[in-house]
Amino acid sequence: MSYTIAAISNAGGAPEQAYRKMQSAAACPERPFAEMFKFEVPSLTVGTLDTLMNLSDEMGKTDSIVEQIVRKIEKTAADLSDRNKVDLSVGGVPATRYIQQFAWDSAKYPSRRPLKELVSLITGGAVAIEEELKQLVSSYGDKTAALQEAKRKKSGNLLVADLNDVLTEDIMRKVSVIDSEYLKTVFIAVPKAMKENFENGLEKLGKDLVGYGGPDWSRDSTKLGEPVSFGSHVDRHKVRGSPVVPGSLQLVHHDEDSLLYTVTILKGQYESGYYENDEFQAGAKIDFEQEFAQACKEKRYVVRDFKYDPSQASKSAMQLEQLRVEVDGMKSALMRWCKNHYGDGYVAWMHI
């Protein structure tokens, strides 16, 4: 259903007479294509002609802005109801009836105020509604995304699932986990189709990360095995290799799509120290964990950030349920907000 607002001159007579004349002119009992209703607007404080002309240029944009706010509320309510019909009302009546029975709200929008000020008042109220809607929709979207991520981890394969939900005490009892100053056991998830490539190429992963070079006695073989001056005399990276400890690979678990392994790696190493004026200067420490994870990522293997906690499985279930409750609560609150504020936005639009 669509409406057209028509304004006519009453030729100095009573407004009611002009309305009846228009009704008579539009009456067509044989083909009643439309109905006519009064759209009563009080006398407004127009101001100067320049003010009115400037305001007239802005009114098209203002009308479009306020209408968009109303449409946003309608769309949000429709999305929340999965596109089922939602009864949005204006002052307790359907929008169509509100238009048919329109009466200027002088308490909310005093007609004695200058027209420009009145337009700003109406627009400001509508924009405030839009800002509040944006905040509520953003919060609801963030919470919904968190719920979807939690569900994905709960039901996903070993590449994404929460490992505390997957690995039982019986499984972990058979796994040797090291986390010392220099060595660490990491969990790596691999697609099943890449099993052979992973197992055969594991000890070459990150093959340029670790420097295995040491003192070079080739310059003077008579001092073989004796201490040498470190620092610039030792190229730690002359010989490079992977941080993977040979023989440390262990298959932990598998599902239909993926496999989970543990591998022990060298966590990091210090650059060679050196003496400066008889004072030893320690070398800087290099961390391999992040670079090794990146090397795995390039091969489409996933290093899982995991620390076993047998109580975490129940915590994850509780967190998931808590997220469901919070999302349901926010959804209901947002729907109530749409129903309560739709009328305010619609009233502002009709007064514009």
Side-chain angles (χ1 to χ4, degrees):
M1 183 181 293
S2 62
Y3 292 88
T4 300
I5 299 176
I8 63 170
S9 171
N10 58 15
E16 188 65 30
Q17 290 177 343
Y19 175 66
R20 287 176 181 172
K21 285 180 181 179
M22 195 168 182
Q23 273 187 319
S24 300
C28 185
E30 295 81 11
R31 305 182 71 182
F33 291 128
E35 290 182 86
M36 191 177 298
F37 305 95
K38 282 185 181 180
F39 198 81
E40 297 187 14
V41 178
S43 296
L44 301 173
T45 307
V46 175
T48 65
L49 181 60
D50 286 343
T51 302
L52 186 61
M53 293 297 291
N54 291 333
L55 197 57
S56 178
D57 293 338
E58 297 175 7
M59 284 299 290
K61 294 179 182 177
T62 304
D63 176 64
S64 178
I65 290 171
V66 180
E67 181 184 3
Q68 285 177 16
I69 295 170
V70 172
R71 300 305 180 207
K72 284 178 183 178
I73 297 175
E74 290 176 342
K75 183 180 182 301
T76 301
D79 291 343
L80 291 172
S81 64
D82 297 324
R83 294 291 163 181
N84 294 323
K85 182 176 173 56
V86 181
D87 293 325
L88 297 175
S89 62
V90 184
V93 299
T96 53
R97 186 179 299 176
Y98 171 77
I99 294 173
Q100 295 166 9
Q101 300 174 347
F102 179 82
W104 188 272
D105 189 343
S106 296
K108 199 169 188 178
Y109 308 118
S111 58
R112 293 188 300 275
R113 299 180 74 166
L115 198 55
K116 186 175 181 179
E117 189 178 322
L118 202 55
V119 171
S120 297
L121 175 65
I122 298 171
T123 308
V127 170
I129 291 173
E130 183 185 31
E131 287 301 317
E132 189 174 353
L133 177 61
K134 282 181 181 177
Q135 292 176 9
L136 291 172
V137 169
S138 177
S139 298
Y140 175 69
D142 291 344
K143 189 66 70 173
T144 302
L147 176 60
Q148 294 303 321
E149 179 65 16
K151 286 180 178 178
R152 187 176 71 89
K153 288 183 176 181
K154 187 75 174 176
S155 59
N157 58 29
L158 295 169
L159 298 168
V160 297
D162 188 332
L163 296 183
N164 275 307
D165 292 336
V166 176
L167 303 181
T168 63
E169 286 190 52
D170 289 339
I171 293 174
M172 290 303 299
R173 220 175 269 122
K174 302 171 186 176
V175 179
S176 176
V177 178
I178 300 171
D179 190 2
S180 64
E181 183 179 357
Y182 294 105
L183 297 175
K184 182 175 182 178
T185 300
V186 295
F187 289 75
I188 305 177
V190 179
K192 267 193 175 177
M194 306 181 76
K195 177 180 185 293
E196 187 174 344
N197 289 342
F198 174 74
E199 292 181 352
N200 293 337
L202 173 65
E203 293 180 9
K204 295 180 181 178
L205 271 175
K207 61 182 179 181
D208 296 326
L209 296 181
V210 185
Y212 287 111
D216 183 4
W217 288 285
S218 61
R219 298 175 186 172
D220 186 354
S221 60
T222 61
K223 295 183 179 180
L224 181 65
E226 294 182 8
V228 299
S229 178
F230 289 94
S232 59
H233 296 280
V234 176
D235 183 2
R236 175 62 60 88
H237 296 284
K238 185 176 182 180
V239 179
R240 292 176 179 269
S242 167
V244 174
V245 175
S248 64
L249 179 67
Q250 181 183 359
L251 177 63
V252 177
H253 194 56
H254 64 87
D255 57 25
E256 292 181 0
D257 306 313
S258 52
L259 305 129
L260 184 68
Y261 295 91
T262 55
V263 176
T264 301
I265 65 169
L266 185 65
K267 291 172 73 171
Q269 70 178 164
Y270 287 92
E271 294 285 10
S272 300
Y274 59 93
Y275 281 95
E276 185 176 296
N277 299 326
D278 295 329
E279 185 175 342
F280 181 74
Q281 305 292 328
K285 187 177 181 181
I286 304 172
D287 183 17
F288 299 137
E289 290 185 59
Q290 293 298 323
E291 293 183 73
F292 179 73
Q294 181 60 35
C296 288
K297 184 178 179 180
E298 291 171 2
K299 297 286 188 179
R300 294 178 54 203
Y301 313 142
V302 180
V303 175
R304 303 298 314 274
D305 185 11
F306 170 65
K307 187 173 182 180
Y308 179 62
D309 181 356
S311 66
Q312 192 62 39
S314 59
K315 289 180 182 177
S316 297
M318 290 174 62
Q319 288 171 356
L320 180 60
E321 185 59 31
Q322 180 65 27
L323 278 172
R324 284 199 182 100
V325 171
E326 289 177 3
V327 168
D328 288 344
M330 292 179 75
K331 181 178 180 179
S332 299
L334 184 52
M335 179 61 86
R336 285 196 301 272
W337 186 95
C338 288
K339 290 181 176 180
N340 291 337
H341 288 78
Y342 177 74
D344 295 335
Y346 207 95
V347 166
W349 183 28
M350 288 301 100
H351 281 72
I352 285 291

